[in-house]
Amino acid sequence: MFVKQLPKFINSLDYARSMDLNDPLKEYRNKFHIPQKENKDLIYFCGNSLGLQPKSVRNFIEQELKDWETLGVEGHLHAKNPWLYYHHLLEEQTARLVGAKPIEVVVMNSLTVNLNLLMISFYRPTKTRYKIMMEYMAFPSDQYAVENQIKFHGYDPHKTIIELMPREGEYAIRTEDILQKIEEHKSELALIMIGGVNYYTGQLFEMEKITGHAKKSSAEIVVGFDLAHAAGNVELNLHDWNIDFATWCTYKYLNSGPGGTSGVFIHEKHCNDNSLPRLSGWWGNEEETRFKMQKGFFPQTGAAGWQMSNAQILPMAAHRASLEIFDEAGMKKLNEKSFLLTGYLQYLLLNGKRKDFKIITPSDTAHRGCQLSIVMNNSGKKTFDALTENGIIADWREPNVIRVAPVPLYNSFEDVWRFAEIFHSV
Ligand SMILES: *Cc1c(COP(=O)(O)O)cnc(C)c1O
């Protein structure tokens, strides 16, 4: 993680425009459809919820529609990208995106499904070691999945989940407090399962430090991350960080369309371990014997051995369009722009007329991605509605939080400047 000083920003439209002119990624905005109102681009700050559509998606999907149209079932072998092996087309780029080896990743299913599949393999409680540590205010879907996995094993969620809390009056959870808590529970912890970036506060957890500490405390603690808000947002090095498993959705920062597919990471040290329990289906079986229709499951090597059903070609085609863009831009460059863009947003928010709010996302740039969560003291919903009327798409969370995410691929410094202008004047 790079730690740099933010530059001395200036609050003016000219300055914002000059930042855009000097932006090495400025051309990328043209690769996306920007939603409009009355023929004017909206200011879209919801890439953390549903990323915008890459213009190239249409071609990727057209290709598969065409092959289906002209080949029918023969497309499995004779499509331009034969469907039988389609998931392999996503491995290299996915691996680069999250800092993994190709063997450690697979694209399949959707996020909560994968979270459950991975917990089947990696949450294996015993009488003495059965607790799961997760963050306070984890995404509801993750909470439901964890609670029910616990019940599935016959334990009581209330006595099994250890929640990491922020200190009184704070919003982010301090790393030192997390490490302390791991220390306290090291003999009973089976699994640590945290969202890499919290969807609500925008806090980026120190995944490497947390994992390192857990592994040092006990080799038996398994560490997994839900990277829904981290993949495509921050630089990841899942392999080197020694994370056991991770999964993410592809429709947020990864712009792969509503309900899009999901990515999975299983560390090299586990992904060929056939002794791990897993739910299985034909697509995870060795490719050579998949169609022999024999009894006995022989998982193929790597994370691909966790597949169950045959690949969902259309969502995966959409995802390939986006992966191509990410691969070309590179997470490093995206992060450098993100650092400036979100830094500029923070600067403009804190140096304007309006003072009736608080940013709860860490101000330390090492502890956040591109989202800022703003708690409004009062009239929050009114402000949010006024923003919407003025052409801004942001996200409202009851009771009083506005989440804004300027994303480096298609948001501009001018977007950020205009947002702040409107925010301070409504
Ligand atoms: C968006 C999100 C989900 C959504 O799960 P789906 O299975 O894709 O519907 C789950 N967990 C987290 C942390 C999220 O941010």
Side-chain angles (χ1 to χ4, degrees):
M1 200 167 304
F2 71 113
V3 179
K4 252 189 349 187
Q5 270 313 94
L6 284 165
K8 261 200 151 340
F9 291 122
I10 300 169
N11 182 356
S12 81
L13 180 56
D14 281 347
Y15 174 79
R17 286 181 170 160
S18 75
M19 290 294 280
D20 284 329
L21 269 178
N22 292 321
D23 168 14
L25 298 176
K26 59 174 177 279
E27 297 303 332
Y28 280 84
R29 181 178 172 93
N30 297 325
K31 292 181 187 284
F32 289 85
H33 291 291
I34 312 288
Q36 295 196 329
K37 190 169 130 189
E38 289 150 11
N39 286 326
K40 268 180 56 192
D41 285 355
L42 289 167
I43 297 176
Y44 193 81
F45 280 167
C46 256
N48 58 342
S49 185
L50 186 76
L52 292 180
Q53 183 185 136
K55 290 175 182 165
S56 55
V57 156
R58 196 167 293 269
N59 282 341
F60 276 87
I61 293 183
E62 285 281 357
Q63 178 68 50
E64 305 315 324
L65 290 178
K66 188 96 207 140
D67 287 340
W68 178 23
E69 179 185 320
T70 56
L71 298 167
V73 69
E74 305 262 273
H76 284 298
L77 281 170
H78 301 302
K80 180 169 177 231
N81 310 300
W83 303 327
L84 272 182
Y85 308 109
Y86 203 85
H87 67 271
H88 292 306
L89 296 174
L90 294 83
E91 283 167 354
E92 296 267 345
Q93 292 173 335
T94 300
R96 281 193 286 274
L97 179 77
V98 298
K101 298 185 175 185
I103 197 80
E104 294 173 318
V105 295
V106 65
V107 170
M108 60 182 189
N109 309 320
S110 43
L111 171 55
T112 310
V113 171
N114 287 335
L115 209 52
N116 275 292
L117 293 182
L118 290 165
M119 277 192 281
I120 295 278
S121 299
F122 293 104
Y123 175 54
R124 295 189 294 150
T126 64
K127 272 212 161 52
T128 51
R129 187 180 286 285
Y130 61 95
K131 298 213 168 168
I132 302 184
M133 180 175 282
M134 60 195 304
E135 83 273 34
Y136 164 73
M137 289 283 285
F139 196 85
S141 198
D142 300 34
Q143 295 192 39
Y144 304 148
V146 167
E147 275 172 26
N148 283 303
Q149 288 276 337
I150 290 169
K151 286 190 202 158
F152 172 79
H153 286 284
Y155 296 88
D156 174 358
H158 296 293
K159 293 183 187 148
T160 304
I161 297 174
I162 301 167
E163 265 192 343
L164 298 163
M165 305 288 288
R167 293 188 188 181
E168 182 89 30
E170 297 184 5
Y171 291 90
I173 303 167
R174 297 191 193 195
T175 305
E176 59 192 282
D177 293 352
I178 300 176
L179 304 190
Q180 166 72 30
K181 203 89 171 169
I182 294 173
E183 202 51 39
E184 238 170 81
H185 295 280
K186 64 183 176 192
S187 61
E188 50 181 11
L189 258 182
L191 173 65
I192 299 175
M193 243 284 306
I194 300 178
V197 172
N198 181 267
Y199 80 100
Y200 188 73
T201 62
Q203 176 182 6
L204 166 59
F205 286 92
E206 294 189 89
M207 293 180 249
E208 183 179 16
K209 234 185 226 176
I210 293 169
T211 310
H213 189 85
K215 298 290 175 191
K216 215 169 65 204
S217 303
S218 164
E220 289 173 69
I221 302 174
V222 176
V223 185
F225 286 95
D226 180 331
L227 301 176
H229 282 263
N233 177 13
V234 295
E235 262 187 290
L236 299 166
N237 275 302
L238 302 184
H239 177 86
D240 289 348
W241 295 347
N242 199 21
I243 285 165
D244 293 297
F245 71 90
T247 180
W248 55 94
C249 53
T250 63
Y251 48 81
K252 291 174 179 164
Y253 292 101
L254 292 175
N255 314 314
S256 300
T261 184
S262 162
V264 162
F265 165 86
I266 299 172
H267 199 278
E268 194 175 32
K269 65 191 173 194
H270 303 302
C271 71
N272 291 324
D273 180 355
N274 294 352
S275 72
L276 284 173
R278 66 177 93 182
L279 297 186
S280 49
W282 67 330
W283 232 247
N285 198 74
E286 278 178 350
E287 285 171 351
E288 307 80 69
T289 55
R290 185 188 284 155
F291 289 100
K292 297 226 162 101
M293 306 294 179
Q294 294 162 335
K295 279 200 169 55
F297 173 73
F298 298 100
Q300 56 179 291
T301 52
W306 266 258
Q307 293 173 104
M308 293 171 70
S309 295
N310 72 99
Q312 293 152 305
I313 303 300
L314 298 180
M316 284 163 78
H319 188 36
R320 283 181 64 212
S322 177
L323 281 175
E324 189 179 79
I325 295 173
F326 272 91
D327 209 40
E328 192 190 292
M331 276 315 299
K332 189 163 178 296
K333 274 208 193 121
L334 287 165
N335 257 8
E336 282 168 12
K337 176 171 173 188
S338 187
F339 169 78
L340 293 173
L341 202 59
T342 305
Y344 192 45
L345 175 62
Q346 175 181 263
Y347 161 84
L348 292 174
L349 285 172
L350 296 179
N351 292 282
K353 193 168 83 199
R354 191 164 187 162
K355 306 287 177 202
D356 61 343
F357 67 92
K358 185 173 172 172
I359 301 174
I360 59 171
T361 306
S363 58
D364 178 351
T365 57
H367 294 148
R368 69 181 187 211
C370 59
Q371 170 184 328
L372 291 185
S373 302
I374 305 165
V375 174
M376 306 301 298
N377 293 352
N378 42 50
S379 65
K381 189 66 177 37
K382 250 185 164 157
T383 304
F384 181 77
D385 291 342
L387 290 171
T388 309
E389 253 166 55
N390 282 280
I392 290 163
I393 310 241
D395 175 88
W396 172 251
R397 291 280 144 165
E398 290 293 343
N400 57 357
V401 171
I402 298 173
R403 297 187 309 167
V404 281
V407 310
L409 270 177
Y410 48 75
N411 284 125
S412 63
F413 291 87
E414 182 169 338
D415 279 347
V416 166
W417 186 85
R418 288 195 184 282
F419 169 84
E421 266 298 284
I422 297 166
F423 178 82
H424 285 295
S425 62
V426 296

